[in-house]
């Protein structure tokens, strides 16, 4: 899982609560990403960031928010507006901005369960 | 728009036999193609990528993939499967120009290697 850490590994949330998933990388990468993984649906992009203090919505951004105040950190908040948040969440990073040949490096993931 | 398809949800192979996991893509430009592997409850690990040059790409753990432009395919192969190869495999595509630099992932193929 390289130099990307995600915490916690497991997270339980009650309905109506906001929760924040942590993602930290020590690879000095500019770009960072958040994906959601559901069985049989592959990876779906939630948000991505190409540079500090900038981020863009992905395919399924509704009910989620992010910040990128530091190069090494890209936390994801799952808000109460996300109707079905139970899933496996993956953070990734890659070297550059707008570089199509870059390899993505993934963290170990956080499994979120709504009770 | 860029897209990638993994036509098989599951591939079963006996240990010691060759394995193939299929991937096809749709493109309006030149593709950059990636294969990742995911073990249970873990993040994705990079296996190999095709950027340009030789159509046969060799990667980690004895895997290789062949880029076939006429068939728009990038199938993952290994000459002799191991039980430890059992995992979820993802194909991803990016395009060199005219499209988003954000990769698009297939839905994944579960590889099961039987002893």
């Amino acid at each position: 899982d390289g130099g990307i850490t995600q915490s916690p590994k497991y997270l339980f949330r009650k309905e109506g609560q906001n929760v924040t998933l942590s993602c930290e990388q020590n690879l000095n990468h500019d770009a960072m990403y958040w994906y959601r993984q559901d069985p049989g649906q592959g990876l779906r992009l939630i948000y991505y960031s190409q540079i500090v203090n900038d981020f863009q919505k992905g395919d399924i951004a509704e009910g989620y928010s992010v910040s990128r105040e530091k190069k090494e950190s890209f936390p994801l908040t799952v808000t109460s507006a996300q109707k079905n948040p139970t899933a496996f969440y993956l953070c990734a990073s890659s070297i550059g901005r707008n570089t199509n040949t870059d390899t993505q490096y993934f963290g170990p993931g956080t499994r979120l369960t709504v009770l | 728009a860029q897209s990638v398809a993994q036509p098989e949800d599951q591939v079963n192979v006996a240990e010691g036999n060759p394995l193939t996991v299929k991937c096809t893509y749709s493109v309006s430009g030149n593709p950059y193609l990636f294969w990742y592997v995911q073990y249970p409850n873990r993040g994705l690990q990079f296996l190999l990528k095709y950027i340009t040059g030789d159509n046969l790409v060799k990667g980690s753990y004895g895997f290789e993939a062949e880029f076939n432009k006429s068939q728009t395919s990038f199938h993952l192969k290994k000459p002799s499967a191991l039980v430890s190869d059992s995992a979820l495999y993802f194909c991803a595509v990016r395009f060199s120009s005219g499209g988003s630099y954000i990769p698009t992932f297939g839905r994944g193929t579960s590889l099961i290697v039987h002893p």
Side-chain angles (χ1 to χ4, degrees), chain B residues 67-88:
Chain B
F67 172 62
N68 188 317
K69 189 171 184 178
S70 63
Q71 297 187 7
T72 63
S73 67
F74 189 57
H75 300 332
L76 182 70
K77 300 182 179 183
K78 188 174 182 180
S80 179
L82 300 172
V83 172
S84 58
D85 292 330
S86 298
L88 190 58

Side-chain angles (χ1 to χ4, degrees), chain A residues 43-112:
Chain A
L43 274 65
R44 292 185 289 168
L45 183 66
I46 304 172
Y47 270 97
Y48 64 99
S49 168
Q50 301 177 64
I51 194 171
V52 174
N53 292 322
D54 183 65
F55 48 84
Q56 306 294 328
K57 293 182 179 180
D59 300 321
I60 56 165
E62 185 176 354
Y64 300 96
S65 66
V66 294
S67 63
R68 187 87 187 275
E69 297 177 359
K70 298 186 294 182
K71 186 174 186 177
E72 59 270 24
S73 178
F74 191 41
L76 173 74
T77 296
V78 184
T79 74
S80 57
Q82 170 51 235
K83 298 305 179 187
N84 185 22
T86 295
F88 191 53
Y89 291 86
L90 288 163
C91 180
S93 70
S94 62
I95 294 175
R97 305 168 244 161
N98 291 328
T99 306
N100 290 1
T101 60
D102 286 351
T103 297
Q104 287 179 306
Y105 294 87
F106 286 80
T110 292
R111 187 166 298 281
L112 173 63

Side-chain angles (χ1 to χ4, degrees), chain B residues 8-53:
Chain B
E8 300 157 317
D9 290 336
Q10 185 172 302
V11 170
N12 291 276
V13 64
E15 187 174 31
N17 284 0
L19 69 88
T20 299
V21 182
K22 296 179 180 177
C23 173
T24 60
Y25 63 90
S26 175
V27 59
S28 57
N30 291 322
Y32 300 139
L33 295 150
F34 302 77
W35 274 105
Y36 294 85
V37 60
Q38 183 182 34
Y39 298 99
N41 295 311
R42 301 289 300 276
L44 277 66
Q45 297 177 31
F46 171 73
L47 281 177
L48 51 81
K49 66 181 177 183
Y50 170 81
I51 302 302
T52 188

